[in-house]
Amino acid sequence: MSILHHSEFFTTVNHYADLPKAPFPEIAFAGRSNAGKSSAINVLCNQKRLAFSSNTPGRTQHINYFTVGRRGETYGYLVDLPGYGYAKTPMAVKDHWNRLLSAYLQERDQLKGLVLMVDIRRGLTDLDIQMIQWFVPLARPIHILLTKCDKLTNNERNKTLFAVRKQLTDLAGEWGTVQLFSSTNRIGLEEAGEIIGGWIMQARPKQSESETDAVQ
């Protein structure tokens, strides 16, 4: 069973200073509004409503943390970042998101990997590329999930996969990987779960359960 299946809600924050102080590795999930981020988190964690998707795109304005681990022990966090790119979001909110996301992606020591949701029908947008460019200097892995791939034919999927893989190689070099994904049809679920779980297991601190509880 994937360690992601033991995920639970931990906390929500709206300011960088309020991020958890614990040394657990963090895997961030980012993407445009309506790219399918909440659905992907839920299906990867084998839960229906762990991450909530709003009926109003761009409404989620906080960073949400979910624990990952086994037997009551925390191995790391999944970090659900605010969706971006919704045109009707007020400018003040957009500015706050930009500052928060930029600081988090560029300065957060606990951040060990980025999972970027990209709607396969759109491909990489300018905002997606900006997210990658913020993160690349950390020299940590980026994995793109080309979501909603069930909406395209096999030929269309593979064409977009090839194009995005080339773009990502140009932007991130050896740190970037990409795959097809569908929350609805569970395409790519096992591959994504293994990659994300592997990042956490590789980076998690080696602590006893009592030490882990004390940190939390």
Side-chain angles (χ1 to χ4, degrees):
M1 181 182 293
S2 170
I3 62 170
L4 303 185
H5 291 182
H6 296 270
S7 298
E8 296 180 354
F9 175 77
F10 178 67
T11 190
T12 183
V13 299
N14 196 28
H15 299 284
Y16 189 87
D18 297 328
L19 295 174
K21 303 300 188 291
F24 302 122
E26 298 175 5
I27 308 303
F29 285 72
R32 292 180 61 95
S33 299
N34 280 347
K37 181 160 54 67
S38 296
S39 296
I41 292 173
N42 287 334
V43 74
L44 284 165
C45 295
N46 198 34
Q47 298 189 43
K48 292 184 177 180
R49 294 182 62 82
L50 181 66
F52 291 90
S53 56
S54 171
N55 292 327
T56 303
R59 186 173 181 180
T60 303
Q61 302 174 20
H62 300 80
I63 294 179
N64 294 308
Y65 274 72
F66 308 98
T67 60
V68 174
R70 286 183 176 141
R71 299 182 300 275
E73 181 181 0
T74 297
Y75 291 178
Y77 296 125
L78 302 184
V79 184
D80 184 9
L81 301 178
Y84 51 85
Y86 184 57
K88 295 182 180 180
T89 303
M91 186 58 65
V93 175
K94 286 184 179 179
D95 289 343
H96 173 70
W97 288 358
N98 284 338
R99 290 192 301 271
L100 182 59
L101 293 176
S102 175
Y104 179 78
L105 291 174
Q106 296 179 85
E107 302 172 11
R108 184 69 170 166
D109 290 337
Q110 292 95 322
L111 180 56
K112 302 304 180 183
L114 175 66
V115 182
L116 184 62
M117 310 289 163
V118 174
D119 187 328
I120 195 169
R121 298 167 298 181
R122 283 178 169 267
L124 284 180
T125 66
D126 290 343
L127 290 175
D128 297 323
I129 291 171
Q130 183 181 50
M131 295 289 287
I132 295 170
Q133 290 173 332
W134 276 340
F135 189 72
V136 162
L138 294 179
R140 293 169 189 164
I142 301 172
H143 189 60
I144 290 179
L145 300 184
L146 291 175
T147 61
K148 307 182 183 182
C149 71
D150 57 291
K151 305 293 185 182
L152 300 182
T153 65
N154 284 334
N155 185 55
E156 291 169 332
R157 294 178 194 174
N158 292 329
K159 183 178 180 180
T160 303
L161 177 64
F162 178 82
V164 171
R165 181 178 286 136
K166 185 179 185 305
Q167 285 180 280
L168 185 59
T169 298
D170 292 340
L171 290 166
E174 63 180 338
W175 297 105
T177 52
V178 58
Q179 69 164 96
L180 300 172
F181 191 85
S182 169
S183 298
T184 303
N185 291 1
R186 303 176 74 86
I187 297 171
L189 183 59
E190 183 174 349
E191 178 184 353
E194 288 180 355
I195 288 173
I196 297 163
W199 289 350
I200 293 172
M201 294 302 291
Q202 184 176 9
R204 76 185 182 102
K206 302 300 185 290
Q207 297 176 315
S208 67
E209 292 190 15
S210 59
E211 289 173 323
T212 300
D213 292 340
V215 171
Q216 292 187 78

